[in-house]
Amino acid sequence: MTHILQISDTHFGTEQPAVLDAMERHVVEHGADLLILSGDITQRARPAQFAAARAFMQRLEGHGIPDSLVIPGNHDIPLYNLVRRFLSPYGQYRKHFGDDLEPTFENEDALIIGLNTTAPKRHKDGLVTPEQVDAVCRKLERSDRRKVSIVVAHQPFGAMVPSDLRNLQHGAQPALERWAEAGLDMVMGGHIHLPYVLPLSKQYQSLSREIWMVQAGTTLSSRVRGTSPNSFNRLRLRTEGRKAVCVERWDLLDGHFVLGSHFNLHW
């Protein structure tokens, strides 16, 4: 069984030290096989914010998480420095997290594909391009169908509440239709600071198979949404026999992360 820890929207620059401590304590106690950070690492893409984020990730890795998969979010592109925004939009990201903006992780249980759906010309909207759709399909077709296959992108592919429809990825429906045919199981993301698990066939009836969406809240920052506290997701993947995933949401309560809810996903 593979254990995945998904954090998102850390927004370094607005992080809360006590919440960072709670996150580290959780990792020390529970560990994980893979750490996913699904974008908006920083608040304003400043060097000090990226440096703080990298140091935090290194501490988590030092507590026993051997691998990580990180993608940028719209906040990880400079907003006010227009020269940097258009001449070197991912300069600080590359310096601290490497040149690969679309990393892939694969082991005996999972294929996880990162997508960069941001762009300097867009303020916050996400876009999945036809080239990205094709690339994901090729990776899915080369992989063992018994593995849990996941796409990680910052902006969401499905909405839980009508007000979030404007935050959906541009190109979401044709991408999901192609990926369903290729056998994709899940999409994961953040962006809206609202954690939820959703079967996407409810919104896209044309899908040939179920794709589950797993959204993370804001893990560390003060920019919580409504009554949703700081949170992260922990996924337990099982591929022996029938493929299944348990998604746990851990919420901040009285200075500690506690299990808030869990969902059992099947196909």
Side-chain angles (χ1 to χ4, degrees):
M1 183 180 291
T2 295
H3 292 210
I4 297 173
L5 195 62
Q6 182 201 10
I7 64 176
S8 194
D9 296 82
T10 48
H11 287 282
F12 274 85
T14 67
E15 77 277 18
Q16 304 169 91
V19 185
L20 269 70
D21 291 343
M23 187 76 241
E24 288 193 56
R25 291 196 303 270
H26 175 90
V27 171
V28 169
E29 183 174 353
H30 298 279
D33 299 305
L34 175 69
L35 175 63
I36 292 176
L37 175 46
S38 48
D40 278 2
I41 304 163
T42 66
Q43 177 64 9
R44 284 291 171 250
R46 292 172 180 153
Q49 294 171 1
F50 269 112
R54 183 65 192 130
F56 174 72
M57 291 287 285
Q58 288 175 328
R59 293 198 300 274
L60 295 189
E61 291 164 1
H63 294 320
I65 302 181
D67 289 295
S68 62
L69 184 149
V70 183
I71 61 168
N74 53 290
H75 276 260
D76 300 317
I77 300 173
L79 179 61
Y80 300 117
N81 187 329
L82 296 183
V83 173
R84 282 181 52 213
R85 182 174 181 88
F86 290 103
L87 295 184
S88 182
Y90 301 105
Q92 287 299 317
Y93 176 93
R94 294 180 189 275
K95 178 179 178 180
H96 292 90
F97 289 96
D99 289 330
D100 192 353
L101 303 182
E102 299 190 320
T104 296
F105 171 87
E106 188 166 12
N107 68 3
E108 66 276 7
D109 292 324
L111 169 66
I112 304 174
I113 304 166
L115 287 187
N116 175 26
T117 54
T118 68
K121 293 182 180 180
R122 295 192 303 275
H123 174 54
K124 64 177 183 177
D125 288 2
L127 170 66
V128 182
T129 68
E131 292 78 15
Q132 288 175 313
V133 174
D134 290 342
V136 169
C137 287
R138 288 193 296 270
K139 291 178 181 180
L140 292 171
E141 289 162 359
R142 290 195 299 262
S143 183
D144 188 337
R145 282 288 187 102
R146 291 172 293 185
K147 296 182 180 183
V148 177
S149 55
I150 303 171
V151 163
V152 181
H154 180 58
Q155 293 90 347
F157 284 86
M160 180 67 77
V161 295
S163 60
D164 281 326
L165 289 171
R166 67 181 186 274
N167 291 311
L168 296 186
Q169 298 274 6
H170 297 287
Q173 182 161 343
L176 292 169
E177 290 172 348
R178 288 278 311 281
W179 295 343
E181 293 173 359
L184 184 67
D185 295 312
M186 296 170 53
V187 290
M188 299 173 66
H191 187 58
I192 55 176
H193 299 195
L194 181 66
Y196 53 90
V197 176
L198 183 69
L200 286 172
S201 62
K202 288 190 174 182
Q203 185 169 343
Y204 305 100
Q205 289 81 18
S206 58
L207 297 184
S208 61
R209 70 189 303 271
E210 189 63 81
I211 297 178
W212 289 90
M213 187 174 69
V214 176
Q215 286 292 118
T218 177
T219 303
L220 304 175
S221 85
S222 58
R223 304 177 74 243
V224 294
R225 175 172 171 174
T227 59
S228 297
N230 293 106
S231 66
F232 61 86
N233 294 323
R234 177 176 283 276
L235 286 70
R236 305 175 191 273
L237 279 56
R238 187 186 72 219
T239 55
E240 293 183 1
R242 186 174 67 166
K243 179 164 49 179
V245 176
C246 177
V247 180
E248 299 175 348
R249 192 191 75 241
W250 289 69
D251 297 333
L252 188 71
L253 179 65
D254 297 329
H256 301 276
F257 282 104
V258 298
L259 182 59
S261 62
H262 73 277
F263 306 86
N264 292 308
L265 314 185
H266 300 282
W267 291 267

